[in-house]
Structures are given as C-alpha cells and as structure tokens.
Amino acid sequence: MVLDVSTVLTWILFLALFPIAFFWLRRAWRIVFKRDFSEVALKRGMPPANPAKFAPFTAVINFVCGIIILMVIYGVLVLQLEYETWSSTAGVTIWSKFLLDFMLSRHAHPIAWGRKKKAADESASGSGK
C-alpha cells in the first residue's frame, strides 16, 4: 500500500463514518425514547415554536441516514466494497442528511411576511408625540 494523499483522505473519510453514525443514531434515540427535542429543526440555534411537531421527521432522517452509514461500514469491513461504491454512498448520505435537516429547519421556522405587529405599534405610538 502506497501512502499518498488520496490514501490518507480515504482513511480519514472511512474513520469519520464511525462517529457520524454514532451521533446520528444517538440523536434519533434521544428524540424517540428520551423525548429530547432540544436539537429538532434548529435555525440559528433557536428551536421552532412546536418542536414536537417536527421531531418524528428529524428522528426518521437521523435513523435512516445512521443505518445507511452503518451498512457502508459493514460493507467496507466485511463485504469488501469497492472505493467508488462506498465513498459515493457515504457522500450522498451525508449530503442528503444535511440538506434534509436544512429543509426541515426552514419549514419549521416560517418567514413572517409583511410588517411585524410590534414594529407597527411602536411606529404608531412614536408619531403621536
């Protein structure tokens, strides 16, 4: 085995799959069994108004992606998957999880169009001085 940059990056990618799978499965466990919604659909660190509404979706995303990563690890260690196969599967899974979490967080925090009521009240009371 030749130790070059691509070999080192391949090992880093493979070894990173272990903590990735652990954290995603742990997050799904916390949501489903411990009813901890503190990491559900966060936007700029703030939870949505009703995190319990979005918790099942977050749990499913984390569980499915964690299981896929575990299957990739199993495939590399036991089934001797080729590099292109396991790296593409892991990459698509990681990016899909990030994008699905992003979409869910944006759906959980809707954009308030128009004027905010508080700002409108302040401007009305300020003009009456």
Side-chain angles (χ1 to χ4, degrees):
M1 180 164 91
V2 178
L3 188 64
D4 58 349
V5 173
S6 66
T7 305
V8 171
L9 289 177
T10 300
W11 273 100
I12 290 172
L13 172 63
F14 177 68
L15 293 176
L17 295 179
F18 289 91
I20 288 172
F22 172 76
F23 284 112
W24 289 352
L25 291 173
R26 184 181 69 169
R27 182 174 290 169
W29 174 269
R30 285 181 177 175
I31 292 170
V32 172
F33 294 107
K34 294 191 175 189
R35 311 297 292 168
D36 178 14
F37 304 143
S38 63
E39 296 180 356
V40 172
L42 298 178
K43 182 178 178 184
R44 297 185 183 176
M46 299 299 297
N50 185 8
K53 178 181 176 182
F54 301 100
F57 302 107
T58 304
V60 167
I61 290 169
N62 283 290
F63 181 73
V64 169
C65 291
I67 292 298
I68 292 172
I69 294 296
L70 282 181
M71 290 181 358
V72 168
I73 292 170
Y74 177 79
V76 169
L77 295 177
V78 177
L79 303 178
Q80 302 292 317
L81 288 178
E82 294 182 15
Y83 171 74
E84 291 83 13
T85 304
W86 72 262
S87 66
S88 63
T89 304
V92 166
T93 303
I94 291 168
W95 277 106
S96 297
K97 197 245 186 237
F98 289 154
L99 291 174
L100 289 171
D101 274 346
F102 178 78
M103 289 188 296
L104 185 66
S105 70
R106 293 316 179 253
H107 180 71
H109 297 274
I111 298 173
W113 296 101
R115 289 188 185 189
K116 294 184 181 178
K117 188 170 182 134
K118 185 177 179 182
D121 291 341
E122 289 176 1
S123 65
S125 65
S127 62
K129 286 185 178 179

